Amino acid sequence: MPGEQNYRKTEQAYPEGGCWGWLSVVGLAITIFFTRGSTVAQGVFFIAFIDYFNESAAKTSWILALMGSLTWMTSVVSAAFAKKYGPRKVATVGAAVLFLSLLISQFSTQIWQIGRASCRERV
């Protein structure tokens, strides 16, 4: 028929990640779970922080505001580092910082200590 084009199917080659590819997927899923999960669940944390630390709602809300704002502010810096050093190295360092900050915040006895750990978590 006139105007009909013959298209030849071409196979697309996808890179094989193997075991390292699946480990990257699992690591990313865990990181997103903790970073986005803690940001989305701020309402649950808010009540728990007020009860546990026996602080005012105003003081406690600053901690949660830091958690949310630092997530977005540090994304620009992380993107620049990823462009310079590569995403794998930046993600590895970020996961280690996230792990350490969550571990440190476990031992908090005052509300400001959660804020400091939250700042480390987001950077």
Side-chain angles (χ1 to χ4, degrees):
M1 296 186 101
E4 187 176 316
Q5 296 177 355
N6 292 329
Y7 291 103
R8 194 170 53 172
K9 288 187 176 181
T10 58
E11 286 189 35
Q12 293 181 350
Y14 295 103
E16 179 60 39
C19 182
W20 185 255
W22 283 110
L23 287 175
S24 297
V25 169
V26 169
L28 179 65
I30 291 170
T31 303
I32 288 174
F33 175 78
F34 282 110
T35 56
R36 294 300 302 151
S38 64
T39 304
V40 171
Q42 287 183 353
V44 177
F45 289 143
F46 185 71
I47 302 298
F49 287 163
I50 287 175
D51 291 342
Y52 183 78
F53 293 110
N54 200 20
E55 290 287 349
S56 67
K59 232 182 213 185
T60 306
S61 65
W62 275 104
I63 304 305
L64 300 176
L66 274 175
M67 286 173 62
S69 62
L70 286 175
T71 299
W72 300 111
M73 287 191 297
T74 58
S75 64
V76 176
V77 177
S78 299
F81 282 144
K83 189 173 183 179
K84 185 173 183 177
Y85 299 111
R88 186 177 293 173
K89 291 178 183 176
V90 174
T92 303
V93 170
V97 170
L98 173 66
F99 173 75
L100 289 175
S101 65
L102 289 173
L103 186 69
I104 289 169
S105 67
Q106 175 182 329
F107 302 107
S108 299
T109 58
Q110 297 177 351
I111 194 73
W112 64 268
Q113 294 169 340
I114 294 286
R116 288 188 79 181
S118 176
C119 290
R120 283 191 205 107
E121 178 181 325
R122 302 299 178 215
V123 172

